[in-house]
Amino acid sequence: MTCLPPHTDKKLGLVIDLDTCVGCHACVTACKGWNDQGYGAPLSDQTPYGVEASGTFLNRVHSYAVQPDDLPAQTINFPRSCLHCEDAPCVTVCPTGASYKRAEDGIVLVNEEACIGCGLCAWACPYGAREMDLAAGVMKKCTLCVDRIYNEELPEEDRQPACVRTCPTGARHFGDLGDPESAVSRLVAEREGYALMPEMGTKPVNRYLPPRSKDRPEEASLLAPLLDIKAAGLAGWLDRVLGKLP
Amino acid sequence: MNPAPSVIVFTVLSGMGFGFLALLGLFGVQGWLGFFFWGTGFGLAVAGLVASTFHLGNPQRALRAFTQWRTSWLSREGWAAVITLGLLAPQALSDWLGLGWGRGFGIAGAVGCGVTVVCTGMIYAQLKTVPRWHHWTTPAVFLAFALAGGLILSGVRGLAVIALCLLGVLMAVQWFGGAGRFARAGVTMESATGLGRIGRVAVFEQPHTGGNYLMREMIFTVGRRHAERVRMIAMVSGGLLPVVALVFVPGVAGIGLAAVTHLLGAFAHRWLFFAEAEHVVGLYYGRR
Ligand code: SF4
Ligand code: SF4
Ligand code: SF4
């Protein structure tokens, strides 16, 4: 049913730390690997070894150069996947009821059995979180690894999204953002996590933690430890002799 | 946005078809001429609807699209189209065979035609993610095309000329207003990434070296280079030439000429409608 639940107590989602993400794309690969064999149709590739290689992914990592007014530019790696929005426009536009938001935990999913592959939900999503699978003709999107997080067949530590589990720098966190006491909610509060494109009115659940502010060059010169090195030996003798010449 | 032929054919043909059907429903044409006219109207509307299924990944499940009319304009459009065609069928039969069933079905069907065209427009107008479309002019221009196309096919020259002038004005309003709407929506790379709090944002490296569905579907830059030319074609062929044909060329030839030029203009308008619309997701890729 494409009517959104009026409210969900639980708001499962991801918190992504832009300070620690190193842009290794491990989450992209882990996501593709897990979702290729689990929930729904596999994520197909088209001419993967050809000139125009392309394929379906549920998570993409961008890299941006951000130029502050008075400091050197910063490179910021930026993973992008479904934000499991509270007012998800992708759900309400769906004509078939294939797109839905779960009342029990807020996860936004696609029932592939009902999807006609019209693509309207991908048009409605501001974040580019949905990609049509060209082989299956159905819409694919991040499932928040719903087949892992509740999966009692897996050892406890693996009951997290594949991307979170795999991230080598711990830049991805999973939890309940509807509970103000959860670890993710406290992290968001502490680090001033923010939502993407709030002006689109989608009320995303996922949050991004901004990069920590960088040192100022005048406060700490990078060369500081090198500046008072005294030359010794031959170089020291030369330094003294040459220094005496008029 | 990618100007997919199936969607262009769908909106143009079914728009014209429903416009024509609405007039036939209201005023009726009897006998075999009526059969021919009704057939043309139904033919155009149905051909458009069938074309719209060509871009579906799984068209065999298309019936499911009737389930979510509560929230989805696409679903509402499906219902409106089917109900309208259903209402008009007995009217067409009555007109053709002279059964004298009054105009009740026809009048209800004409209202249905209007509703259907508005629903088609709303499929696009509802999308906040495409600021150019997110405006009342989207359904208004769709309606004006339906009305003008219908009146041309009906051969009511005077009214057709007035409708074509209205269409011209609305297209101009749509283009002028649409030009800066993306900027006015206030979405930028800075707000899309939230990194504006640090500084100006530029793409350092794309997330993938090949294309993907998003880029093919929503970042269509080729067409915009020719936007001004296509605008001229849409205005001249869609509005001006049909007026000239209706005013100066007598007989069926004038109507036919007007219909053909108008249809070409409608195709040009619709191609541009998709091709120049920019989706906010392009911001993540540093291009729109
Ligand atoms: S990020 Fe996009 S696909 Fe995910 S819930 Fe929000 S609007 Fe829907
Ligand atoms: S592509 Fe599938 S999930 Fe998306 S709107 Fe169409 S039917 Fe619904
Ligand atoms: S939660 Fe699962 S499906 Fe979503 S991006 Fe991470 S790995 Fe992919």
Side-chain angles (χ1 to χ4, degrees):
Chain A
M1 197 43 81
T2 56
C3 292
L4 289 164
H7 172 80
T8 65
D9 286 332
K10 235 175 163 188
K11 297 182 175 105
L12 293 188
L14 298 176
V15 172
I16 295 174
D17 190 344
L18 298 179
D19 194 64
T20 42
C21 175
V22 290
C24 67
H25 292 246
C27 55
V28 178
T29 315
C31 173
K32 177 109 173 176
W34 177 261
N35 288 290
D36 214 18
Q37 51 197 337
Y39 190 96
L43 301 170
S44 70
D45 290 319
Q46 280 67 46
T47 62
Y49 305 106
V51 181
E52 302 266 323
S54 102
T56 319
F57 287 77
L58 312 182
N59 178 28
R60 307 266 188 185
V61 179
H62 294 255
S63 295
Y64 297 110
V66 183
Q67 178 67 65
D69 280 340
D70 50 348
L71 288 171
Q74 263 173 268
T75 310
I76 296 170
N77 303 298
F78 186 94
R80 177 174 57 80
S81 57
C82 173
L83 312 169
H84 298 279
C85 306
E86 286 181 63
D87 271 342
C90 56
V91 170
T92 51
V93 299
C94 174
T96 62
S99 275
Y100 62 105
K101 183 171 175 74
R102 308 206 318 174
E104 64 268 35
D105 54 14
I107 301 181
V108 175
L109 290 174
V110 175
N111 169 10
E112 295 176 9
E113 302 290 295
C115 174
I116 54 173
C118 66
L120 194 55
C121 53
W123 287 13
C125 170
Y127 310 104
R130 292 175 167 242
E131 298 190 16
M132 179 97 75
D133 189 85
L134 291 191
V138 294
M139 195 52 74
K140 302 296 296 186
K141 69 176 291 301
C142 160
T143 64
L144 211 56
C145 286
V146 69
D147 50 349
R148 289 177 68 96
I149 57 179
Y150 297 116
N151 190 341
E152 309 210 328
E153 303 294 315
L154 296 176
E156 175 107 41
E157 66 270 27
D158 281 336
R159 287 179 216 157
Q160 320 182 25
C163 55
V164 173
R165 185 78 179 95
T166 217
C167 177
T169 63
R172 299 177 77 102
H173 307 266
F174 161 73
D176 179 9
L177 288 139
D179 169 10
E181 291 311 312
S182 68
V184 279
S185 295
R186 286 205 305 274
L187 195 57
V188 169
E190 198 179 297
R191 296 274 307 279
E192 293 174 33
Y194 62 85
L196 304 183
M197 271 200 268
E199 63 275 25
M200 282 284 136
T202 54
K203 295 210 255 153
V205 166
N206 284 15
R207 287 288 181 270
Y208 284 75
L209 306 180
R212 294 183 173 87
S213 57
K214 297 287 179 243
D215 292 337
R216 311 222 134 218
E218 57 274 20
E219 286 164 12
S221 166
L222 285 177
L223 295 175
L226 300 172
L227 288 182
D228 57 345
I229 284 179
K230 295 263 186 307
L234 180 63
W237 177 79
L238 267 174
D239 185 33
R240 280 194 304 280
V241 171
L242 291 173
K244 277 185 194 135
L245 290 179
Chain B
M1 308 294 286
N2 173 28
S6 56
V7 204
I8 295 178
V9 169
F10 155 55
T11 56
V12 170
L13 292 192
S14 70
M16 198 178 207
F18 280 113
F20 192 30
L21 285 176
L23 294 166
L24 290 176
L26 289 178
F27 303 109
V29 178
Q30 311 296 321
W32 281 99
L33 184 65
F35 177 81
F36 173 71
F37 273 27
W38 279 105
T40 308
F42 274 104
L44 284 170
V46 172
L49 294 173
V50 169
S52 76
T53 63
F54 288 166
H55 86 287
L56 301 182
N58 279 287
Q60 76 281 8
R61 302 178 191 143
L63 279 184
R64 290 197 185 252
F66 289 99
T67 60
Q68 305 302 316
W69 51 273
R70 279 189 211 81
T71 65
S72 167
W73 283 103
L74 184 49
S75 189
R76 287 173 197 157
E77 201 258 357
W79 273 111
V82 168
I83 292 174
T84 302
L85 294 177
L87 280 171
L88 288 172
Q91 189 69 64
L93 205 65
S94 157
D95 285 2
W96 169 34
L97 301 174
L99 301 177
W101 290 350
R103 299 235 63 81
F105 284 114
I107 293 168
V111 173
C113 288
V115 172
T116 309
V117 174
V118 169
C119 285
T120 311
M122 285 309 293
I123 295 173
Y124 305 103
Q126 70 177 331
L127 296 172
K128 259 189 171 172
T129 48
V130 185
R132 191 183 273 275
W133 292 347
H134 190 55
H135 198 250
W136 62 266
T137 46
T138 301
V141 168
F142 276 49
L143 262 183
F145 262 109
L147 186 65
L151 283 166
I152 294 174
L153 291 181
S154 318
V156 195
R157 290 179 190 243
L159 287 178
V161 168
I162 297 176
L164 284 165
C165 294
L166 177 72
L167 171 65
V169 171
L170 279 173
M171 278 198 285
V173 172
Q174 181 182 45
W175 291 331
F176 276 113
R181 202 166 294 128
F182 196 105
R184 287 198 296 279
V187 272
T188 58
M189 280 182 83
E190 283 73 20
S191 76
T193 59
L195 296 173
R197 68 198 65 217
I198 298 175
R200 267 177 299 112
V201 180
V203 169
F204 178 65
E205 202 175 22
Q206 297 290 14
H208 39 97
T209 50
N212 70 350
Y213 171 75
L214 297 173
M215 300 179 82
R216 286 189 296 269
E217 190 76 359
M218 293 168 224
I219 310 178
F220 185 85
T221 48
V222 191
R224 266 170 248 147
R225 255 179 276 141
H226 309 294
E228 287 313 316
R229 237 164 283 153
V230 183
R231 241 188 277 284
M232 277 301 281
I233 297 173
M235 194 57 112
V236 170
S237 177
L240 198 62
L241 289 181
V243 169
V244 172
L246 288 172
V247 174
F248 295 106
V249 186
V252 187
I255 309 286
L257 207 59
V260 170
T261 50
H262 175 73
L263 201 58
L264 288 177
F267 277 114
H269 170 274
R270 216 47 49 78
W271 185 86
L272 187 67
F273 176 74
F274 289 100
E276 76 172 341
E278 301 158 312
H279 194 287
V280 296
V281 76
L283 294 169
Y284 289 104
Y285 288 90
R287 44 179 137 135
R288 307 188 329 222

